[in-house]
Amino acid sequence: MLLVIAAQRALKVPSIKLAWDQRVLHMPLAAKMSRGMNTAQFASTLSILSSSGVPLVDAMRIAGQVLSNSFLQQKVAEATVKVSEGTSLNGALEQSGYFPPMMLHMIASGESSGQLDQMLSRVATSMQQDVEALLNVLLSLFGPFMLLMMGGAVFTIVMAILLPIINLNQLVT
């Protein structure tokens, strides 16, 4: 309990939160979840803003603030600066190295065809479906894992009861 409270307080310090968020993006399972959720949020917000007529640089700045991962927020802010200097959205996000290749290809396709907002909407839907599929797999593995844990607990209890009885039986004979 004390450890959880200490971790929560430590994550309120911006530099520690930034380091933690960067670390999360390199953890095997957490990276896929965090990256998927954040890119889906970013693409969805950017799609809504760009289809509403907001200029791309302003839309990126706003959509970057929606992200829960502060390290990705920083990468989006860097990409926003590059887009304002004339780089394509696809190129700017690709240089960060933290956005999924499928998202980058769809954005490139949307930029070349002039339908960026529609492609961003498709990206958001696709990323959200990927995250939901991963969650479904994890939840389906949770049942058998709990069964094994309960079996281990029952085995431990049974052995704790039977071992003294077996030892008494050996002393008598």
Side-chain angles (χ1 to χ4, degrees):
M1 182 69 173
L2 189 62
L3 187 63
V4 171
I5 293 170
Q8 285 177 339
R9 287 196 178 175
L11 287 176
K12 289 182 181 177
V13 177
S15 61
I16 295 174
K17 180 166 176 35
L18 184 67
W20 171 254
D21 284 344
Q22 183 178 9
R23 188 86 171 135
V24 165
L25 292 175
H26 295 286
M27 293 178 184
L29 201 55
K32 191 164 186 156
M33 292 292 294
S34 177
R35 203 174 286 187
M37 289 187 313
N38 281 291
T39 55
Q41 288 174 338
F42 175 72
S44 176
T45 306
L46 193 59
S47 169
I48 291 168
L49 291 171
S50 66
S51 66
S52 299
V54 177
L56 183 60
V57 174
D58 294 335
M60 284 181 67
R61 191 171 293 117
I62 295 167
Q65 294 171 355
V66 172
L67 301 176
S68 59
N69 188 304
S70 60
F71 186 74
L72 281 179
Q73 279 182 346
Q74 186 179 28
K75 291 298 179 182
V76 168
E78 292 170 6
T80 303
V81 170
K82 290 176 184 171
V83 168
S84 69
E85 293 172 351
T87 307
S88 68
L89 175 61
N90 172 48
L93 293 178
E94 188 174 16
Q95 287 176 1
S96 74
Y98 285 94
F99 290 91
M102 191 270 305
M103 176 185 181
L104 296 173
H105 291 301
M106 289 183 77
I107 288 174
S109 173
E111 283 180 325
S112 64
S113 67
Q115 298 177 340
L116 181 61
D117 54 341
Q118 294 167 352
M119 279 301 190
L120 285 168
S121 178
R122 288 183 188 168
V123 165
T125 303
S126 175
M127 291 286 126
Q128 190 65 34
Q129 288 172 349
D130 287 350
V131 169
E132 288 173 6
L134 181 61
L135 277 174
N136 286 336
V137 167
L138 290 176
L139 288 175
S140 68
L141 292 175
F142 185 71
F145 178 72
M146 285 306 294
L147 186 64
L148 286 174
M149 293 297 292
M150 287 305 190
V154 168
F155 177 75
T156 303
I157 292 169
V158 168
M159 290 309 290
I161 293 171
L162 288 180
L163 280 178
I165 294 172
I166 292 172
N167 286 340
L168 277 175
N169 192 19
Q170 288 178 353
L171 286 176
V172 172
T173 54

